[in-house]
Amino acid sequence: MGTRATADRARVVAAEAWLPVARAHADRADALTAAHRERRGTGERHPVEDFLYEYYGVKPSLLRRWHPGVGVTLGPTAQGPAEHAAWRWYGVHDDGSVGLDVEAFLADRGETVAYVRRLLDATASRPAALGCLGLHEWAMVYRQDDARRRHSLPLRLGREGTDAVVDAHPVRCSHIDAFRFFTPDAVPLNRLQPTRETQVDLEQPGCLHANMDLLKWSLKLGPAVPGDLLLDAFALAAEIRLLDMQASPYDLSSLGEPAVAIETPEGRAEYVARQRAFAERSAGLRVRLLEVCEGLDSHA
């Protein structure tokens, strides 16, 4: 290992304990990605589910890799050291046990860890704002010709009806990676003008995209994130993505998904209720990711 302090303070887990956990993790990952992998084999695309793989660069093969997390050392198997020994940022001890080399990881990713910790901490410190109604997706097609739309799905209310919804509601998007896809006509309608430089100052825990991004931060923290946390973030992001598109201007009936019609009182109430539930669930994941960042610091 690159640092003796890490080795001395790590908890050693025997192979008979960690091998079943690693296998269960791979099985869970395979179940979560089964539909995507099947579509990939036939060249079929899915406008809702493919987002996680394309936007976040998720690879099923990497999702199924189980990592024990910071402060855990894996005892050797009968065949020798754990396969993690061949993975980046892992090291082997004299007794054949394998663990994360925190010093090496922070040497490469220290700035990323510091930024993620600062962003997550700032986001967690704010109350959830629940009044955006998912209008970011509407703003991405506002007054735009159909040929330039990001998805081939039809607009549920048509062109004029879609624009009318944006015109009738305040746009309050706080997330830079949603705002940057607004059409030129929609940009000045947003009450906030988020930038990459103001992301830490503006991100808030009610935002669907901020909560889907917990998957991104889990991936950025790489092997420091325990396997169950990564898959929990992926599974939650998939659920949030569905609401994101159900509440969008697109017609998902061809996919068998009902609309959350945010242009109606009933639709707005449903959106806010589900948004609030996601904010509460995401808060727990955010705390767990902050604990990963703190664990890296304490084991450095």
Side-chain angles (χ1 to χ4, degrees), residues 284-295:
L285 295 185
R286 193 169 283 110
V287 168
R288 290 164 67 189
L289 283 173
L290 280 167
E291 289 173 348
V292 170
C293 296
E294 293 163 2

Side-chain angles (χ1 to χ4, degrees), residues 46 211 222 239:
H46 196 290
N211 292 331
E239 291 185 51

Side-chain angles (χ1 to χ4, degrees), residues 51-52 55-56 119 123 132 134-137 140 150-151 173-182 199 203-217 237 240-241 243-245 271 275 278 282 286:
F51 174 81
L52 299 185
Y55 184 77
Y56 291 119
L119 176 64
T123 305
C132 69
L135 282 167
H136 56 276
E137 287 287 346
M140 293 178 192
R150 298 172 65 207
H151 300 292
C173 181
S174 59
H175 198 277
I176 176 57
D177 287 315
F179 179 63
R180 66 190 177 95
F181 291 108
F182 279 27
Q199 186 170 9
E203 201 135 303
Q204 53 88 16
C207 172
L208 294 191
H209 277 262
N211 292 331
M212 278 192 288
D213 276 355
L214 294 175
L215 171 60
K216 174 166 71 173
W217 306 130
I240 296 174
R241 171 60 177 169
L243 174 60
D244 194 36
M245 287 296 285
Y271 183 88
Q275 183 184 27
F278 284 137
S282 298
R286 193 169 283 110

Side-chain angles (χ1 to χ4, degrees), residues 133 135 142 161-171 189 263 268:
L133 300 178
L135 282 167
Y142 180 66
T162 298
D163 292 345
V165 170
V166 178
D167 290 331
H169 297 84
V171 183
L189 301 180
E263 71 276 11
R268 289 193 288 273

Side-chain angles (χ1 to χ4, degrees), residues 78-285:
Q79 290 73 40
E83 63 177 334
H84 302 63
W87 299 353
R88 189 179 183 187
W89 295 308
Y90 279 92
V92 184
H93 300 298
D94 294 339
D95 63 357
S97 61
V98 176
L100 181 66
D101 187 334
V102 174
E103 184 177 284
F105 178 74
L106 289 178
D108 291 340
R109 292 287 178 87
E111 290 185 5
T112 297
V113 172
Y115 177 78
V116 172
R117 184 175 186 176
R118 188 165 69 253
L119 176 64
L120 295 178
D121 190 55
T123 305
S125 71
R126 300 184 180 110
L130 304 174
C132 69
L133 300 178
L135 282 167
H136 56 276
E137 287 287 346
W138 299 70
M140 293 178 192
V141 298
Y142 180 66
R143 295 185 180 176
Q144 182 183 72
D145 63 82
D146 292 347
R148 290 185 293 165
R149 286 212 310 267
R150 298 172 65 207
H151 300 292
S152 59
L153 294 168
L155 297 177
R156 183 168 54 82
L157 301 180
R159 164 53 48 214
E160 293 184 0
T162 298
D163 292 345
V165 170
V166 178
D167 290 331
H169 297 84
V171 183
R172 304 187 182 99
C173 181
S174 59
H175 198 277
I176 176 57
D177 287 315
F179 179 63
R180 66 190 177 95
F181 291 108
F182 279 27
T183 65
D185 286 336
V187 167
L189 301 180
N190 197 22
R191 293 188 174 182
L192 298 170
Q193 297 290 303
T195 65
R196 190 64 64 199
E197 291 70 28
T198 62
Q199 186 170 9
V200 172
D201 299 321
L202 293 180
E203 201 135 303
Q204 53 88 16
C207 172
L208 294 191
H209 277 262
N211 292 331
M212 278 192 288
D213 276 355
L214 294 175
L215 171 60
K216 174 166 71 173
W217 306 130
S218 296
L219 294 168
K220 290 286 188 183
L221 295 174
V225 174
D228 63 326
L229 176 51
L230 173 61
L231 294 188
D232 287 349
F234 178 84
L236 183 58
E239 291 185 51
I240 296 174
R241 171 60 177 169
L242 178 58
L243 174 60
D244 194 36
M245 287 296 285
Q246 286 179 311
S248 78
Y250 296 105
D251 184 352
L252 271 61
S253 59
S254 63
L255 304 176
E257 297 295 347
V260 177
I262 56 99
E263 71 276 11
T264 69
E266 296 79 12
R268 289 193 288 273
E270 179 183 353
Y271 183 88
V272 170
R274 290 172 66 180
Q275 183 184 27
R276 179 180 290 108
F278 284 137
E280 292 171 355
R281 291 170 62 188
S282 298
L285 295 185

